């Protein structure tokens, strides 16, 4: 999963890192988020987008850049950032599903946010936005569940399909031993046995 956001917007960074933490720790997904990557080059960004299962765009409007508070806030908006636009266009070119995400407080401002979008990206305004509120546990749970449903609906990247097939084959090879253990063979307890856990955990997806 690729998460795009404006690094010049502190609330966007907080939301991006919170979503990254949930998707990686709770779901075991591989997630590309620039601040978490060793290689932040343009080549690495494009590779991350094209190898992802889906693209999550955290869309924010004008905001104060904490590293340069005297900047014009409008240049810090998501649709004003050169690399945010590059990432989106790479995702479109690669045929990736795009899910726009906003802060709960921006729910009534979608039209204003989309007014800054380039013409070729205007279609994003027709997608159902998901709003997230990090400071309300119940509201957060509702939002991330919507994100999970979106991700579940996307096909894995072709290289991940190969990983999943290998994991299934590995699990199948372990099944006879697991069957023997269930029938009393080997004298040990059942534990997780037979590769079931590896079948669940091995196929990590972008």
């Amino acid at each position: 999963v690729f998460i795009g956001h404006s690094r010049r917007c502190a609330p966007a960074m907080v939301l991006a890192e919170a979503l990254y933490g949930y998707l990686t720790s709770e779901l075991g997904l591989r997630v590309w988020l620039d601040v978490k990557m060793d290689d932040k080059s343009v080549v690495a960004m494009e590779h991350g987008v094209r190898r992802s299962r889906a693209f999550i765009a955290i869309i924010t409007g004008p905001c104060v850049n904490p590293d340069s508070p005297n900047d014009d806030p409008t240049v810090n908006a998501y649709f004003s950032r050169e690399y945010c636009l590059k990432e989106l266009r790479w995702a479109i070119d690669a045929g990736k599903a795009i899910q726009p995400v906003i802060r709960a407080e921006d729910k009534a401002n979608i039209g204003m946010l989309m007014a800054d979008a380039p013409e070729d990206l205007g279609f994003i305004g027709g997608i159902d936005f998901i709003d997230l509120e990090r400071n309300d546990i119940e509201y957060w749970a509702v939002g991330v569940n919507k994100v999970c449903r979106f991700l579940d609906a996307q096909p894995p990247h072709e290289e991940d399909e190969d990983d999943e097939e290998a994991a299934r084959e590995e699990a199948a090879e372990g099944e006879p031993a697991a069957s023997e253990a269930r029938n009393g063979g080997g004298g040990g307890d059942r534990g997780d046995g037979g590769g079931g856990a590896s079948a669940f955990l091995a196929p990590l997806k972008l």
Side-chain angles (χ1 to χ4, degrees):
V1 179
F2 192 101
I3 299 178
H5 70 297
S6 171
R7 290 181 62 184
R8 295 192 176 195
C9 179
M13 292 184 66
V14 169
L15 201 56
E17 293 203 38
L19 193 54
Y20 172 93
Y22 181 85
L23 296 178
T24 55
S25 65
E26 298 296 326
L27 300 185
L29 299 180
R30 287 194 304 233
V31 179
W32 208 104
L33 178 63
D34 53 7
V35 297
K36 301 293 186 181
M37 310 307 291
D38 293 329
D39 185 353
K40 301 177 177 65
S41 67
V42 176
V43 171
M45 283 192 292
E46 182 174 2
H47 185 259
V49 171
R50 293 186 181 279
R51 283 217 57 235
S52 67
R53 164 173 285 196
F55 187 99
I56 296 174
I58 298 179
I59 299 176
T60 47
C63 58
V64 174
N65 177 2
D67 294 327
S68 187
N70 293 325
D71 285 353
D72 178 359
T74 61
V75 304
N76 301 324
Y78 181 82
F79 286 118
S80 296
R81 305 308 306 154
E82 176 186 0
Y83 285 100
C84 290
L85 300 182
K86 283 181 180 291
E87 291 165 355
L88 274 173
R89 288 171 175 141
W90 289 330
I92 294 166
D93 182 66
K96 304 301 179 182
I98 296 171
Q99 177 58 63
V101 168
I102 53 173
R103 300 176 299 164
E105 62 195 76
D106 285 332
K107 191 174 181 179
N109 302 323
I110 293 175
M112 182 182 70
L113 295 173
M114 290 305 305
D116 294 330
E119 184 176 355
D120 64 310
L121 300 177
F123 74 93
I124 292 173
I127 302 173
D128 288 336
F129 282 52
I130 295 175
D131 52 295
L132 297 176
E133 174 53 74
R134 189 66 189 92
N135 296 319
D136 184 321
I137 295 176
E138 293 182 354
Y139 201 112
W140 171 258
V142 170
V144 294
N145 281 338
K146 290 180 180 180
V147 172
C148 291
R149 287 198 295 272
F150 160 73
L151 294 176
D152 284 344
Q154 310 313 318
H157 185 275
E158 58 183 9
E159 293 182 22
D160 289 320
E161 289 182 325
D162 293 340
D163 291 343
E164 291 180 357
E165 179 62 28
R168 284 193 291 268
E169 291 177 359
E170 181 181 345
E173 290 173 359
E175 182 57 29
S179 177
E180 181 181 352
R182 284 193 295 269
N183 292 325
D189 60 27
R190 289 177 59 183
D192 289 328
S198 64
F200 236 100
L201 298 176
L204 299 179
K205 310 175 185 64
L206 282 169

